[in-house]
Amino acid sequence: MVARGSGAEEAPPPTQQRLVFAYYITGHGFGHATRALEVVRHLIGAGHDVHVVTAAPEFVFTTEIDSPSLHIRRVLLDCGAVQADALTVDRLASLEKYHQTAVVPREAILRTEVEWLHSIKADLVVSDVVPVACRAAADAGIRSVCVTNFSWDFIYAEYVVAAGNHHRSIVWQIAEDYSHCEFLLRLPGYCPSMSPCLSDDISKDLKY
């Protein structure tokens, strides 16, 4: 197990299967990265390899986890919200940026992610809460799970109402991507979701 901030690591028990996790984390703010950090820490402590895929700064993870089992791949696959400050969201700019980030290059993204998942021999894809990661996992024949308290289809649906219905296809595409997720670990303070994959019948609430 990795000791917090110490860099110490114990080898996993010899009888334990060592798994490879691909953990996709949105780069919007530090909140997703810092909460995912604790999951990543425990997975590595249990003797597994974790490949973090995110646009968040690498130091968020490397200053807390010192282990050869942690791998960081910095890539932008979703963009969250465009904000003028901590409280002001530009809804139209957010939708347009997501379109340019994840919709226009969608086919290239899927090809790249499928090839990469195969290259690392991933056993499971975890998403907090990058939509295309779930679709890429399905295309690669790998199971996926979301760990989150909200989904971007719910957030962007409100943006569409406020900023213009011509972007509504983004919401449906995100919901369709999430539909390939097989299980949800739902964090406290959760919001509704438009995607059936994040509904009550296949979710598990996590309480701190």
Side-chain angles (χ1 to χ4, degrees):
M1 178 176 291
V2 178
R4 187 180 184 90
S6 71
E9 181 185 15
E10 289 183 12
T15 58
Q16 177 177 299
Q17 181 183 6
R18 191 177 186 93
L19 301 176
V20 176
F21 293 85
Y23 207 131
Y24 288 79
I25 305 165
T26 184
H28 176 68
F30 281 11
H32 295 265
T34 53
R35 73 185 185 189
L37 168 66
E38 296 306 318
V39 182
V40 173
R41 187 201 309 281
H42 281 82
L43 290 174
I44 290 175
H48 306 300
D49 285 298
V50 181
H51 293 255
V52 172
V53 184
T54 186
E58 188 171 327
F59 72 80
V60 175
F61 300 91
T62 57
T63 56
E64 293 290 328
I65 302 174
D66 181 12
S67 170
S69 296
L70 172 66
H71 313 270
I72 308 291
R73 175 173 167 247
R74 297 201 67 226
V75 60
L76 179 66
L77 297 177
D78 68 349
C79 59
V82 176
Q83 296 179 240
D85 54 49
L87 300 176
T88 307
V89 174
D90 187 327
R91 295 172 175 83
L92 182 56
S94 298
L95 293 168
E96 291 177 344
K97 186 173 182 181
Y98 187 87
H99 179 78
Q100 292 300 319
T101 300
V103 177
V104 173
R106 177 177 173 78
E107 294 306 316
I109 288 173
L110 287 172
R111 286 195 302 271
T112 298
E113 295 312 302
V114 168
E115 291 175 4
W116 178 75
L117 288 169
H118 286 156
S119 74
I120 66 168
K121 297 180 172 58
D123 293 294
L124 183 71
V125 168
V126 186
S127 181
D128 182 2
V129 63
V130 180
V132 75
C134 302
R135 173 59 188 271
D139 288 356
I142 301 168
R143 304 184 75 174
S144 62
V145 57
C146 286
V147 183
T148 186
N149 60 347
F150 75 89
S151 58
W152 287 115
D153 54 349
F154 173 77
I155 301 298
Y156 285 162
E158 189 274 332
Y159 293 1
V160 167
V161 171
N165 286 333
H166 58 290
H167 284 296
R168 63 184 179 274
S169 62
I170 289 176
V171 175
W172 296 117
Q173 181 65 74
I174 291 173
E176 197 278 332
D177 282 345
Y178 286 143
S179 73
H180 296 281
C181 170
E182 297 186 45
F183 196 74
L184 165 67
L185 295 176
R186 189 169 59 187
L187 301 176
Y190 64 87
C191 299
S193 172
M194 296 177 62
S195 174
C197 86
L198 303 184
S199 61
D200 289 344
D201 58 336
I202 59 169
S203 68
K204 179 176 178 58
D205 292 338
L206 297 184
K207 295 179 174 58
Y208 298 136

